[in-house]
Amino acid sequence: MSNIIRAKDLCLGYKKGELVIKNANFTIERKDFVFISGASGSGKSTLLRSLYGNLSIFGGNLEVCNINIERAGKRLINELRRNIGIVFQDYKLIEEWSVEKNICLPMIINGYKKEVCNSQVEKLLSHVDLLYKSNRYPLELSGGEQQRVAMARAIAHRPLLILADEPTGNLDDYSSDMIWSLLKSANEQLDVTVVVVTHRIPDRLNIPYRKLNIKDGEVYEYS
């Protein structure tokens, strides 16, 4: 798989006749690290939602991990999501589950054995400096800690693709630096393709990356 994402004349929106993304054409290759930028309301999150099959396509074609999003039924969308890690700005952790169990979720879905889950969770909690809070619940954590748990969950099953929507928008510097470090490591060491929606690209990422910008519904690459 060379192209992990391929959009051709892609049109997205929430009402027909009111398009947010118009005739977008772009490809994202395996192992790319890509930032999507644009003004508030430009369609960044809309585009990201389409990449994990959470938005209907009004025109054109979109393929993610060799799955045609427009034609995919529930089974194929679920298959797609097993290959994706998603990091939301509002974390989307399961409040009734412990930190440990939240991180286990994608591994459970992918059929990992219990002992593998436990080993992987311990490693990830060490990486995000939260091993001592493995039995806590999301509402007992700060916002930065919750996002670090969400980041650990996103990479737990070693996905092909990570999609992150403003992952550091509301975080302190310590948690922000940790999130960027984890995304960089996933890309460099695990060959994970990373796509991040952000208003601000970090200054000291020290990794080759691409930039897509959305303006007036059009998606274009800039250097």
Side-chain angles (χ1 to χ4, degrees):
M1 190 193 310
S2 179
N3 293 341
I4 198 164
I5 297 172
R6 180 177 178 273
K8 182 173 176 58
D9 299 327
L10 178 65
C11 295
L12 301 171
Y14 299 93
K15 295 180 181 178
K16 286 191 175 181
E18 298 181 17
L19 295 179
V20 178
I21 302 294
K22 307 168 187 174
N23 300 313
N25 292 279
F26 62 89
T27 59
I28 293 175
E29 309 292 327
R30 285 293 307 274
K31 306 180 187 179
D32 275 353
F33 197 116
V34 180
F35 288 104
I36 300 176
S37 63
S40 295
S42 61
K44 301 185 298 297
S45 295
T46 298
L47 180 58
L48 203 73
R49 284 182 62 188
S50 73
L51 299 181
Y52 58 93
N54 196 37
L55 192 69
S56 297
I57 293 173
F58 284 163
N61 183 264
L62 176 64
E63 292 183 8
V64 183
C65 299
N66 281 346
I67 291 175
N68 187 313
I69 298 294
E70 184 181 20
R71 299 175 187 170
K74 185 177 180 180
R75 182 184 63 81
L76 282 178
I77 292 296
N78 286 338
E79 179 182 322
L80 169 68
R81 291 175 182 171
R82 284 196 288 271
N83 289 311
I84 295 177
I86 307 174
V87 185
F88 300 95
Q89 188 173 6
D90 57 353
Y91 325 131
K92 295 201 185 308
L93 300 175
I94 300 172
E95 294 177 1
E96 297 79 15
W97 287 13
S98 68
V99 163
E100 182 178 41
K101 192 172 180 181
N102 266 283
I103 296 173
C104 275
L105 178 60
M107 292 187 285
I108 293 170
I109 291 171
N110 280 274
Y112 282 58
K113 292 182 179 179
K114 185 176 181 180
E115 56 269 27
V116 176
C117 291
N118 292 340
S119 174
Q120 182 77 331
V121 167
E122 185 174 348
K123 290 176 185 176
L124 288 167
L125 282 172
S126 294
H127 279 309
V128 297
D129 194 22
L130 287 172
L131 188 58
Y132 65 106
K133 292 191 175 182
S134 62
N135 293 318
R136 299 284 185 90
Y137 291 83
L139 295 182
E140 298 178 287
L141 307 180
S142 69
E145 289 170 336
Q146 289 187 62
Q147 190 64 304
R148 281 145 59 190
V149 172
M151 185 68 230
R153 179 185 61 187
I155 63 177
H157 58 305
R158 298 201 171 188
L160 295 174
L161 171 66
I162 289 177
L163 304 174
D165 193 358
E166 296 285 3
T168 63
N170 300 318
L171 304 188
D172 58 272
D173 289 343
Y174 177 75
S175 293
S176 293
D177 288 346
M178 187 174 289
I179 296 298
W180 290 123
S181 177
L182 286 166
L183 288 169
K184 178 182 177 181
S185 295
N187 179 256
E188 289 185 323
Q189 298 174 21
L190 303 177
D191 294 335
V192 177
T193 305
V194 177
V195 179
V196 183
V197 164
T198 185
H199 281 98
R200 184 173 62 86
I201 297 173
D203 296 325
R204 299 182 302 277
L205 192 59
N206 295 324
I207 190 173
Y209 59 80
R210 297 170 56 198
K211 296 182 285 186
L212 298 178
N213 189 64
I214 303 176
K215 185 176 181 180
D216 298 327
E218 296 184 4
V219 180
Y220 59 92
E221 187 161 2
Y222 66 105
S223 57

mmCIF file of all heavy atoms in Angstrom, residues 153-197:
data_model
loop_
_atom_site.group_PDB
_atom_site.id
_atom_site.type_symbol
_atom_site.label_atom_id
_atom_site.label_comp_id
_atom_site.label_asym_id
_atom_site.label_seq_id
_atom_site.Cartn_x
_atom_site.Cartn_y
_atom_site.Cartn_z
ATOM 1 N N ARG A 153 -4.011 5.315 23.968
ATOM 2 C CA ARG A 153 -5.047 4.448 23.390
ATOM 3 C C ARG A 153 -4.936 4.418 21.871
ATOM 4 O O ARG A 153 -5.095 3.354 21.245
ATOM 5 C CB ARG A 153 -6.433 4.952 23.805
ATOM 6 C CG ARG A 153 -7.599 4.152 23.235
ATOM 7 C CD ARG A 153 -8.936 4.794 23.583
ATOM 8 N NE ARG A 153 -9.060 6.146 23.045
ATOM 9 C CZ ARG A 153 -10.073 6.962 23.315
ATOM 10 N NH1 ARG A 153 -11.043 6.570 24.126
ATOM 11 N NH2 ARG A 153 -10.108 8.170 22.797
ATOM 12 N N ALA A 154 -4.646 5.560 21.263
ATOM 13 C CA ALA A 154 -4.606 5.648 19.797
ATOM 14 C C ALA A 154 -3.483 4.820 19.191
ATOM 15 O O ALA A 154 -3.612 4.340 18.066
ATOM 16 C CB ALA A 154 -4.466 7.109 19.372
ATOM 17 N N ILE A 155 -2.385 4.659 19.923
ATOM 18 C CA ILE A 155 -1.250 3.909 19.358
ATOM 19 C C ILE A 155 -1.136 2.491 19.915
ATOM 20 O O ILE A 155 -0.262 1.734 19.498
ATOM 21 C CB ILE A 155 0.079 4.666 19.580
ATOM 22 C CG1 ILE A 155 0.387 4.820 21.075
ATOM 23 C CG2 ILE A 155 0.057 6.014 18.883
ATOM 24 C CD1 ILE A 155 1.714 5.498 21.351
ATOM 25 N N ALA A 156 -2.037 2.121 20.833
ATOM 26 C CA ALA A 156 -1.916 0.836 21.538
ATOM 27 C C ALA A 156 -1.894 -0.355 20.593
ATOM 28 O O ALA A 156 -1.168 -1.325 20.815
ATOM 29 C CB ALA A 156 -3.050 0.682 22.550
ATOM 30 N N HIS A 157 -2.706 -0.313 19.529
ATOM 31 C CA HIS A 157 -2.831 -1.456 18.618
ATOM 32 C C HIS A 157 -1.952 -1.310 17.373
ATOM 33 O O HIS A 157 -2.139 -2.014 16.392
ATOM 34 C CB HIS A 157 -4.294 -1.645 18.208
ATOM 35 C CG HIS A 157 -4.902 -0.443 17.537
ATOM 36 N ND1 HIS A 157 -4.918 0.803 18.108
ATOM 37 C CD2 HIS A 157 -5.536 -0.311 16.337
ATOM 38 C CE1 HIS A 157 -5.532 1.656 17.292
ATOM 39 N NE2 HIS A 157 -5.892 1.004 16.208
ATOM 40 N N ARG A 158 -0.989 -0.376 17.439
ATOM 41 C CA ARG A 158 -0.063 -0.133 16.329
ATOM 42 C C ARG A 158 -0.799 0.045 15.002
ATOM 43 O O ARG A 158 -0.635 -0.753 14.059
ATOM 44 C CB ARG A 158 0.963 -1.255 16.227
ATOM 45 C CG ARG A 158 1.820 -1.358 17.467
ATOM 46 C CD ARG A 158 3.116 -2.080 17.208
ATOM 47 N NE ARG A 158 4.003 -1.974 18.351
ATOM 48 C CZ ARG A 158 5.270 -2.384 18.360
ATOM 49 N NH1 ARG A 158 5.785 -2.926 17.276
ATOM 50 N NH2 ARG A 158 6.016 -2.260 19.421
ATOM 51 N N PRO A 159 -1.591 1.102 14.897
ATOM 52 C CA PRO A 159 -2.400 1.309 13.692
ATOM 53 C C PRO A 159 -1.542 1.691 12.490
ATOM 54 O O PRO A 159 -0.373 2.081 12.629
ATOM 55 C CB PRO A 159 -3.309 2.476 14.098
ATOM 56 C CG PRO A 159 -2.482 3.251 15.080
ATOM 57 C CD PRO A 159 -1.727 2.207 15.860
ATOM 58 N N LEU A 160 -2.136 1.596 11.319
ATOM 59 C CA LEU A 160 -1.470 2.081 10.110
ATOM 60 C C LEU A 160 -1.501 3.603 10.036
ATOM 61 O O LEU A 160 -0.610 4.229 9.448
ATOM 62 C CB LEU A 160 -2.174 1.521 8.863
ATOM 63 C CG LEU A 160 -2.125 0.019 8.634
ATOM 64 C CD1 LEU A 160 -3.006 -0.358 7.445
ATOM 65 C CD2 LEU A 160 -0.692 -0.443 8.405
ATOM 66 N N LEU A 161 -2.543 4.185 10.639
ATOM 67 C CA LEU A 161 -2.827 5.607 10.472
ATOM 68 C C LEU A 161 -3.319 6.195 11.787
ATOM 69 O O LEU A 161 -4.170 5.597 12.456
ATOM 70 C CB LEU A 161 -3.900 5.770 9.385
ATOM 71 C CG LEU A 161 -4.525 7.147 9.155
ATOM 72 C CD1 LEU A 161 -3.485 8.132 8.617
ATOM 73 C CD2 LEU A 161 -5.695 7.031 8.161
ATOM 74 N N ILE A 162 -2.772 7.349 12.169
ATOM 75 C CA ILE A 162 -3.283 8.110 13.310
ATOM 76 C C ILE A 162 -3.873 9.407 12.793
ATOM 77 O O ILE A 162 -3.235 10.135 12.019
ATOM 78 C CB ILE A 162 -2.184 8.407 14.342
ATOM 79 C CG1 ILE A 162 -1.773 7.121 15.070
ATOM 80 C CG2 ILE A 162 -2.657 9.446 15.359
ATOM 81 C CD1 ILE A 162 -0.642 7.316 16.055
ATOM 82 N N LEU A 163 -5.097 9.701 13.228
ATOM 83 C CA LEU A 163 -5.778 10.954 12.912
ATOM 84 C C LEU A 163 -5.948 11.725 14.216
ATOM 85 O O LEU A 163 -6.505 11.192 15.181
ATOM 86 C CB LEU A 163 -7.149 10.684 12.287
ATOM 87 C CG LEU A 163 -7.164 9.803 11.030
ATOM 88 C CD1 LEU A 163 -8.603 9.512 10.606
ATOM 89 C CD2 LEU A 163 -6.398 10.472 9.890
ATOM 90 N N ALA A 164 -5.482 12.955 14.255
ATOM 91 C CA ALA A 164 -5.538 13.738 15.488
ATOM 92 C C ALA A 164 -6.153 15.108 15.204
ATOM 93 O O ALA A 164 -5.696 15.827 14.319
ATOM 94 C CB ALA A 164 -4.147 13.898 16.081
ATOM 95 N N ASP A 165 -7.194 15.444 15.960
ATOM 96 C CA ASP A 165 -7.918 16.707 15.771
ATOM 97 C C ASP A 165 -7.562 17.672 16.895
ATOM 98 O O ASP A 165 -8.032 17.526 18.020
ATOM 99 C CB ASP A 165 -9.424 16.436 15.753
ATOM 100 C CG ASP A 165 -10.215 17.641 15.257
ATOM 101 O OD1 ASP A 165 -9.592 18.686 14.964
ATOM 102 O OD2 ASP A 165 -11.443 17.532 15.149
ATOM 103 N N GLU A 166 -6.707 18.650 16.598
ATOM 104 C CA GLU A 166 -6.253 19.631 17.599
ATOM 105 C C GLU A 166 -5.841 18.928 18.892
ATOM 106 O O GLU A 166 -6.355 19.235 19.975
ATOM 107 C CB GLU A 166 -7.361 20.661 17.873
ATOM 108 C CG GLU A 166 -7.737 21.527 16.692
ATOM 109 C CD GLU A 166 -6.710 22.616 16.392
ATOM 110 O OE1 GLU A 166 -5.652 22.668 17.074
ATOM 111 O OE2 GLU A 166 -6.945 23.404 15.474
ATOM 112 N N PRO A 167 -4.908 17.983 18.834
ATOM 113 C CA PRO A 167 -4.612 17.153 20.005
ATOM 114 C C PRO A 167 -3.971 17.893 21.169
ATOM 115 O O PRO A 167 -3.975 17.399 22.291
ATOM 116 C CB PRO A 167 -3.657 16.093 19.443
ATOM 117 C CG PRO A 167 -2.987 16.768 18.290
ATOM 118 C CD PRO A 167 -4.052 17.632 17.688
ATOM 119 N N THR A 168 -3.415 19.086 20.912
ATOM 120 C CA THR A 168 -2.766 19.828 21.998
ATOM 121 C C THR A 168 -3.411 21.192 22.231
ATOM 122 O O THR A 168 -2.852 22.033 22.932
ATOM 123 C CB THR A 168 -1.265 20.021 21.705
ATOM 124 O OG1 THR A 168 -1.119 20.814 20.515
ATOM 125 C CG2 THR A 168 -0.563 18.682 21.503
ATOM 126 N N GLY A 169 -4.596 21.395 21.670
ATOM 127 C CA GLY A 169 -5.224 22.714 21.692
ATOM 128 C C GLY A 169 -5.458 23.286 23.072
ATOM 129 O O GLY A 169 -5.357 24.495 23.283
ATOM 130 N N ASN A 170 -5.788 22.425 24.051
ATOM 131 C CA ASN A 170 -6.128 22.917 25.390
ATOM 132 C C ASN A 170 -5.148 22.451 26.464
ATOM 133 O O ASN A 170 -5.484 22.469 27.647
ATOM 134 C CB ASN A 170 -7.538 22.426 25.771
ATOM 135 C CG ASN A 170 -8.596 22.926 24.800
ATOM 136 O OD1 ASN A 170 -8.564 24.084 24.398
ATOM 137 N ND2 ASN A 170 -9.511 22.059 24.416
ATOM 138 N N LEU A 171 -3.944 22.048 26.058
ATOM 139 C CA LEU A 171 -3.045 21.389 27.005
ATOM 140 C C LEU A 171 -1.931 22.296 27.505
ATOM 141 O O LEU A 171 -1.534 23.261 26.857
ATOM 142 C CB LEU A 171 -2.409 20.156 26.352
ATOM 143 C CG LEU A 171 -3.357 19.100 25.774
ATOM 144 C CD1 LEU A 171 -2.558 17.880 25.361
ATOM 145 C CD2 LEU A 171 -4.455 18.719 26.759
ATOM 146 N N ASP A 172 -1.392 21.929 28.672
ATOM 147 C CA ASP A 172 -0.207 22.581 29.202
ATOM 148 C C ASP A 172 1.009 22.171 28.368
ATOM 149 O O ASP A 172 0.963 21.220 27.589
ATOM 150 C CB ASP A 172 -0.005 22.169 30.660
ATOM 151 C CG ASP A 172 0.124 20.658 30.810
ATOM 152 O OD1 ASP A 172 -0.916 19.988 30.950
ATOM 153 O OD2 ASP A 172 1.258 20.157 30.747
ATOM 154 N N ASP A 173 2.101 22.894 28.548
ATOM 155 C CA ASP A 173 3.298 22.649 27.735
ATOM 156 C C ASP A 173 3.840 21.235 27.910
ATOM 157 O O ASP A 173 4.274 20.603 26.947
ATOM 158 C CB ASP A 173 4.394 23.663 28.081
ATOM 159 C CG ASP A 173 4.065 25.066 27.591
ATOM 160 O OD1 ASP A 173 3.168 25.196 26.730
ATOM 161 O OD2 ASP A 173 4.692 26.028 28.074
ATOM 162 N N TYR A 174 3.828 20.719 29.147
ATOM 163 C CA TYR A 174 4.370 19.383 29.415
ATOM 164 C C TYR A 174 3.593 18.327 28.632
ATOM 165 O O TYR A 174 4.186 17.486 27.945
ATOM 166 C CB TYR A 174 4.315 19.086 30.913
ATOM 167 C CG TYR A 174 4.793 17.704 31.286
ATOM 168 C CD1 TYR A 174 6.158 17.396 31.279
ATOM 169 C CD2 TYR A 174 3.900 16.702 31.643
ATOM 170 C CE1 TYR A 174 6.614 16.125 31.613
ATOM 171 C CE2 TYR A 174 4.345 15.431 31.980
ATOM 172 C CZ TYR A 174 5.695 15.149 31.965
ATOM 173 O OH TYR A 174 6.138 13.887 32.295
ATOM 174 N N SER A 175 2.265 18.378 28.726
ATOM 175 C CA SER A 175 1.445 17.392 28.016
ATOM 176 C C SER A 175 1.534 17.581 26.509
ATOM 177 O O SER A 175 1.577 16.605 25.756
ATOM 178 C CB SER A 175 -0.018 17.476 28.482
ATOM 179 O OG SER A 175 -0.143 17.057 29.828
ATOM 180 N N SER A 176 1.582 18.840 26.059
ATOM 181 C CA SER A 176 1.705 19.100 24.618
ATOM 182 C C SER A 176 2.988 18.503 24.057
ATOM 183 O O SER A 176 2.982 17.834 23.020
ATOM 184 C CB SER A 176 1.693 20.609 24.343
ATOM 185 O OG SER A 176 0.442 21.171 24.650
ATOM 186 N N ASP A 177 4.094 18.747 24.749
ATOM 187 C CA ASP A 177 5.383 18.212 24.292
ATOM 188 C C ASP A 177 5.344 16.685 24.238
ATOM 189 O O ASP A 177 5.910 16.070 23.324
ATOM 190 C CB ASP A 177 6.507 18.671 25.221
ATOM 191 C CG ASP A 177 6.824 20.151 25.070
ATOM 192 O OD1 ASP A 177 6.371 20.758 24.072
ATOM 193 O OD2 ASP A 177 7.510 20.695 25.951
ATOM 194 N N MET A 178 4.675 16.073 25.217
ATOM 195 C CA MET A 178 4.605 14.620 25.254
ATOM 196 C C MET A 178 3.781 14.083 24.084
ATOM 197 O O MET A 178 4.141 13.083 23.458
ATOM 198 C CB MET A 178 4.005 14.153 26.580
ATOM 199 C CG MET A 178 4.060 12.651 26.780
ATOM 200 S SD MET A 178 3.513 12.170 28.426
ATOM 201 C CE MET A 178 4.879 12.768 29.418
ATOM 202 N N ILE A 179 2.668 14.755 23.772
ATOM 203 C CA ILE A 179 1.819 14.324 22.651
ATOM 204 C C ILE A 179 2.603 14.392 21.349
ATOM 205 O O ILE A 179 2.613 13.439 20.556
ATOM 206 C CB ILE A 179 0.548 15.188 22.561
ATOM 207 C CG1 ILE A 179 -0.339 15.004 23.796
ATOM 208 C CG2 ILE A 179 -0.228 14.867 21.280
ATOM 209 C CD1 ILE A 179 -0.854 13.610 23.998
ATOM 210 N N TRP A 180 3.307 15.510 21.113
ATOM 211 C CA TRP A 180 4.083 15.639 19.875
ATOM 212 C C TRP A 180 5.192 14.601 19.815
ATOM 213 O O TRP A 180 5.480 14.035 18.756
ATOM 214 C CB TRP A 180 4.662 17.047 19.745
ATOM 215 C CG TRP A 180 3.647 18.109 19.475
ATOM 216 C CD1 TRP A 180 3.404 19.234 20.214
ATOM 217 C CD2 TRP A 180 2.718 18.149 18.385
ATOM 218 N NE1 TRP A 180 2.383 19.958 19.658
ATOM 219 C CE2 TRP A 180 1.945 19.323 18.534
ATOM 220 C CE3 TRP A 180 2.454 17.309 17.305
ATOM 221 C CZ2 TRP A 180 0.937 19.689 17.644
ATOM 222 C CZ3 TRP A 180 1.446 17.661 16.409
ATOM 223 C CH2 TRP A 180 0.707 18.831 16.585
ATOM 224 N N SER A 181 5.818 14.331 20.957
ATOM 225 C CA SER A 181 6.880 13.324 20.993
ATOM 226 C C SER A 181 6.345 11.937 20.651
ATOM 227 O O SER A 181 6.979 11.170 19.905
ATOM 228 C CB SER A 181 7.525 13.320 22.381
ATOM 229 O OG SER A 181 8.510 12.320 22.476
ATOM 230 N N LEU A 182 5.163 11.604 21.162
ATOM 231 C CA LEU A 182 4.563 10.301 20.879
ATOM 232 C C LEU A 182 4.171 10.179 19.409
ATOM 233 O O LEU A 182 4.375 9.135 18.788
ATOM 234 C CB LEU A 182 3.342 10.081 21.772
ATOM 235 C CG LEU A 182 3.644 9.766 23.239
ATOM 236 C CD1 LEU A 182 2.383 9.912 24.080
ATOM 237 C CD2 LEU A 182 4.220 8.369 23.383
ATOM 238 N N LEU A 183 3.618 11.243 18.840
ATOM 239 C CA LEU A 183 3.255 11.221 17.426
ATOM 240 C C LEU A 183 4.505 11.073 16.552
ATOM 241 O O LEU A 183 4.515 10.312 15.586
ATOM 242 C CB LEU A 183 2.492 12.491 17.052
ATOM 243 C CG LEU A 183 1.064 12.601 17.583
ATOM 244 C CD1 LEU A 183 0.513 14.009 17.369
ATOM 245 C CD2 LEU A 183 0.145 11.576 16.910
ATOM 246 N N LYS A 184 5.539 11.789 16.916
ATOM 247 C CA LYS A 184 6.800 11.697 16.173
ATOM 248 C C LYS A 184 7.382 10.286 16.268
ATOM 249 O O LYS A 184 7.808 9.708 15.249
ATOM 250 C CB LYS A 184 7.793 12.722 16.721
ATOM 251 C CG LYS A 184 9.152 12.685 16.041
ATOM 252 C CD LYS A 184 10.102 13.709 16.666
ATOM 253 C CE LYS A 184 11.484 13.607 16.036
ATOM 254 N NZ LYS A 184 12.436 14.569 16.632
ATOM 255 N N SER A 185 7.381 9.709 17.462
ATOM 256 C CA SER A 185 7.921 8.362 17.641
ATOM 257 C C SER A 185 7.119 7.326 16.869
ATOM 258 O O SER A 185 7.690 6.402 16.270
ATOM 259 C CB SER A 185 7.943 8.000 19.132
ATOM 260 O OG SER A 185 8.827 8.828 19.837
ATOM 261 N N ALA A 186 5.795 7.461 16.893
ATOM 262 C CA ALA A 186 4.945 6.526 16.149
ATOM 263 C C ALA A 186 5.273 6.573 14.660
ATOM 264 O O ALA A 186 5.351 5.540 13.987
ATOM 265 C CB ALA A 186 3.472 6.853 16.379
ATOM 266 N N ASN A 187 5.519 7.780 14.154
ATOM 267 C CA ASN A 187 5.837 7.953 12.743
ATOM 268 C C ASN A 187 7.224 7.414 12.400
ATOM 269 O O ASN A 187 7.393 6.666 11.431
ATOM 270 C CB ASN A 187 5.729 9.430 12.383
ATOM 271 C CG ASN A 187 6.071 9.728 10.942
ATOM 272 O OD1 ASN A 187 7.147 10.233 10.643
ATOM 273 N ND2 ASN A 187 5.166 9.415 10.036
ATOM 274 N N GLU A 188 8.204 7.757 13.217
ATOM 275 C CA GLU A 188 9.589 7.404 12.909
ATOM 276 C C GLU A 188 9.913 5.944 13.232
ATOM 277 O O GLU A 188 10.620 5.281 12.474
ATOM 278 C CB GLU A 188 10.540 8.313 13.690
ATOM 279 C CG GLU A 188 10.581 9.736 13.198
ATOM 280 C CD GLU A 188 11.622 10.566 13.934
ATOM 281 O OE1 GLU A 188 11.803 10.359 15.151
ATOM 282 O OE2 GLU A 188 12.257 11.417 13.287
ATOM 283 N N GLN A 189 9.417 5.448 14.344
ATOM 284 C CA GLN A 189 9.825 4.129 14.817
ATOM 285 C C GLN A 189 8.860 3.020 14.418
ATOM 286 O O GLN A 189 9.267 1.871 14.247
ATOM 287 C CB GLN A 189 9.983 4.159 16.336
ATOM 288 C CG GLN A 189 11.054 5.128 16.804
ATOM 289 C CD GLN A 189 11.116 5.277 18.316
ATOM 290 O OE1 GLN A 189 10.658 4.410 19.056
ATOM 291 N NE2 GLN A 189 11.666 6.388 18.780
ATOM 292 N N LEU A 190 7.569 3.348 14.277
ATOM 293 C CA LEU A 190 6.569 2.331 13.947
ATOM 294 C C LEU A 190 6.035 2.481 12.526
ATOM 295 O O LEU A 190 5.168 1.709 12.105
ATOM 296 C CB LEU A 190 5.399 2.391 14.940
ATOM 297 C CG LEU A 190 5.757 2.222 16.422
ATOM 298 C CD1 LEU A 190 4.503 2.371 17.287
ATOM 299 C CD2 LEU A 190 6.415 0.872 16.666
ATOM 300 N N ASP A 191 6.542 3.488 11.781
ATOM 301 C CA ASP A 191 6.117 3.745 10.393
ATOM 302 C C ASP A 191 4.629 4.039 10.283
ATOM 303 O O ASP A 191 3.979 3.711 9.278
ATOM 304 C CB ASP A 191 6.475 2.549 9.492
ATOM 305 C CG ASP A 191 7.974 2.367 9.354
ATOM 306 O OD1 ASP A 191 8.711 3.360 9.519
ATOM 307 O OD2 ASP A 191 8.407 1.235 9.084
ATOM 308 N N VAL A 192 4.062 4.650 11.312
ATOM 309 C CA VAL A 192 2.646 5.027 11.294
ATOM 310 C C VAL A 192 2.486 6.333 10.520
ATOM 311 O O VAL A 192 3.248 7.287 10.717
ATOM 312 C CB VAL A 192 2.109 5.197 12.728
ATOM 313 C CG1 VAL A 192 0.656 5.661 12.711
ATOM 314 C CG2 VAL A 192 2.236 3.894 13.512
ATOM 315 N N THR A 193 1.511 6.379 9.636
ATOM 316 C CA THR A 193 1.157 7.626 8.957
ATOM 317 C C THR A 193 0.381 8.491 9.939
ATOM 318 O O THR A 193 -0.525 8.012 10.620
ATOM 319 C CB THR A 193 0.293 7.348 7.718
ATOM 320 O OG1 THR A 193 0.990 6.427 6.870
ATOM 321 C CG2 THR A 193 -0.006 8.620 6.957
ATOM 322 N N VAL A 194 0.731 9.771 10.028
ATOM 323 C CA VAL A 194 0.111 10.673 10.998
ATOM 324 C C VAL A 194 -0.499 11.865 10.265
ATOM 325 O O VAL A 194 0.173 12.513 9.460
ATOM 326 C CB VAL A 194 1.140 11.166 12.038
ATOM 327 C CG1 VAL A 194 0.490 12.154 13.003
ATOM 328 C CG2 VAL A 194 1.740 9.985 12.808
ATOM 329 N N VAL A 195 -1.774 12.141 10.557
ATOM 330 C CA VAL A 195 -2.465 13.313 9.997
ATOM 331 C C VAL A 195 -3.022 14.114 11.166
ATOM 332 O O VAL A 195 -3.819 13.601 11.957
ATOM 333 C CB VAL A 195 -3.602 12.898 9.051
ATOM 334 C CG1 VAL A 195 -4.322 14.132 8.502
ATOM 335 C CG2 VAL A 195 -3.063 12.045 7.900
ATOM 336 N N VAL A 196 -2.602 15.372 11.267
ATOM 337 C CA VAL A 196 -2.962 16.203 12.416
ATOM 338 C C VAL A 196 -3.624 17.496 11.953
ATOM 339 O O VAL A 196 -3.053 18.235 11.145
ATOM 340 C CB VAL A 196 -1.722 16.563 13.260
ATOM 341 C CG1 VAL A 196 -2.134 17.360 14.498
ATOM 342 C CG2 VAL A 196 -0.952 15.316 13.671
ATOM 343 N N VAL A 197 -4.813 17.757 12.475
ATOM 344 C CA VAL A 197 -5.448 19.066 12.314
ATOM 345 C C VAL A 197 -4.939 19.961 13.426
ATOM 346 O O VAL A 197 -5.001 19.599 14.613
ATOM 347 C CB VAL A 197 -6.985 18.945 12.391
ATOM 348 C CG1 VAL A 197 -7.624 20.320 12.630
ATOM 349 C CG2 VAL A 197 -7.540 18.336 11.120
#
